[in-house]
Amino acid sequence: MSALNAAATLAALRTSWLGRCLEVHAQLPSTQNRVREAALEGAPEGLVVVAEEQTAGRGRLGRTWDAPPGSSLLLSMLLRPHISPMQSALVTAACSLGVLDAVESLFGLRLAVKWPNDIVAPSAGRETAGAQFRKLSGILTETATIGDHFAYCIVGIGLNCNLDPAALPSPLLAPTSLSALLGRNVDRAELLCALLLGVENHYLTLSGTPEGPELTRSQWIKRMVTLGMPVVVSADGSRLEGVAETVDSFGALIVRDSAGRLHSVHAADVTLRPAPQSSCTGHD
Ligand code: BTN
């Protein structure tokens, strides 16, 4: 497996600005921390930090993110979107759409999103709803705001490339990797370039026009396996059961409980429950 290299990546990169300022590290505690340091020092929007290994990689809700050295894409991006900080979930959405485009364009794999931040692949032959999907990638969006705008938004992406998923912990969703899905190893440098191009395209849609947030929301919804599904939502010791109906203009998941009440879910673990019918694909 060849190591990622900043000069070679920059030579192949087709973005206008995302990743044009690029750091590739052999090891970091977390790429999120390195980008935050750089942001506080005034680094430009579009800075991308990649690590071959993280010693303290983190995921959502205080979890860790583990990947064998040199096996994956582990990167963080510095963004300053021109949208309300209350819509930060849509930044995650735009980046998810970029990952989906990259994986589909290079490998022909049409993957999906599990709200709010998981990129999942169907797992054939499983019986329960939760086990119908395996997690390929996770996205972590960390923000700081000044008044009603972003000081910075750091989006971290972990994408399992060339590894045996059995080597990874699986707190909620069973993991998968591109090598497991494709039966061969992938070129991570090529994937990194495609991913940055995909993210740049979707980010420009989100942040570049007044209708961007709504466009991003509607594209996100079309790729979401969560909607229409019975779900269990767990947050801060509370538990809600219901059906995931839609995602609102802030990116919150709207869940209807058995009494017909609507709940707006902003940050939580969402588990898909077995569906009464067998179909649970994304909405078109
Ligand atoms: C999740 O699924 O909970 C989000 C995982 C995000 C992991 C990535 S790996 C690169 C970046 N650095 C980190 O410490 N975390 C993110």
Side-chain angles (χ1 to χ4, degrees):
M1 266 180 278
S2 57
L4 294 169
N5 167 290
T9 304
L10 283 169
L13 196 60
R14 288 189 291 123
T15 58
S16 299
W17 53 274
L18 184 61
R20 292 277 152 205
C21 185
L22 178 68
E23 295 179 11
V24 178
H25 297 263
Q27 188 192 71
L28 283 176
S30 160
T31 55
Q32 294 289 103
N33 298 357
R34 171 65 202 124
V35 172
R36 188 170 59 221
E37 271 170 26
L40 294 174
E41 289 161 6
E45 181 175 42
L47 166 70
V48 172
V49 173
V50 180
E52 289 285 23
E53 180 183 11
Q54 296 185 124
T55 53
R58 59 177 182 274
R60 279 176 74 240
L61 306 175
R63 298 203 177 92
T64 59
W65 184 266
D66 300 302
S71 69
S72 296
L73 286 184
L74 307 168
L75 65 133
S76 297
M77 304 173 284
L78 176 59
L79 302 171
R80 295 196 176 91
H82 298 289
I83 60 171
S84 163
M86 292 171 71
Q87 294 175 304
S88 63
L90 297 179
V91 182
T92 308
C95 295
S96 301
L97 291 165
V99 174
L100 292 178
D101 280 1
V103 171
E104 188 164 359
S105 69
L106 287 183
F107 311 119
L109 292 173
R110 189 163 170 86
L111 304 180
V113 173
K114 177 178 166 286
W115 187 93
N117 73 318
D118 296 330
I119 306 293
V120 297
S123 164
R126 299 299 181 110
E127 283 166 12
T128 61
Q132 280 180 322
F133 303 102
R134 286 178 173 266
K135 178 165 172 171
L136 178 72
S137 171
I139 298 180
L140 175 66
T141 300
E142 298 178 319
T143 65
T145 56
I146 302 174
D148 63 355
H149 64 275
F150 285 105
Y152 60 75
C153 184
I154 301 170
V155 181
I157 300 178
L159 201 169
N160 302 332
C161 294
N162 303 322
L163 58 86
D164 178 358
L168 295 176
S170 51
L172 284 178
L173 269 177
T176 190
S177 66
L178 287 171
S179 60
L181 292 170
L182 295 166
R184 65 173 172 89
N185 280 355
V186 300
D187 180 336
R188 290 180 306 138
E190 183 185 35
L191 178 57
L192 175 60
C193 290
L195 185 154
L196 294 177
L197 185 63
V199 170
E200 183 178 278
N201 287 339
H202 283 282
Y203 181 77
L204 288 177
T205 300
L206 172 68
S207 181
T209 59
E211 60 278 9
E214 180 48 33
L215 271 172
T216 300
R217 186 186 79 95
S218 67
Q219 291 176 12
W220 195 35
I221 282 175
K222 285 183 184 156
R223 304 298 295 269
M224 206 174 272
V225 292
T226 321
L227 301 186
M229 295 287 289
V231 292
V232 179
V233 178
S234 315
D236 300 330
S238 71
R239 179 186 159 93
L240 163 70
E241 290 195 19
V243 174
E245 288 209 341
T246 190
V247 168
D248 72 11
S249 60
F250 300 105
L253 188 68
I254 305 300
V255 176
R256 188 181 292 277
D257 67 20
S258 56
R261 285 182 300 254
L262 290 176
H263 301 258
S264 168
V265 179
H266 291 268
D269 278 330
V270 173
T271 310
L272 307 179
R273 288 195 289 133
Q277 289 96 21
S278 59
S279 167
C280 53
T281 52
H283 285 213
D284 274 316

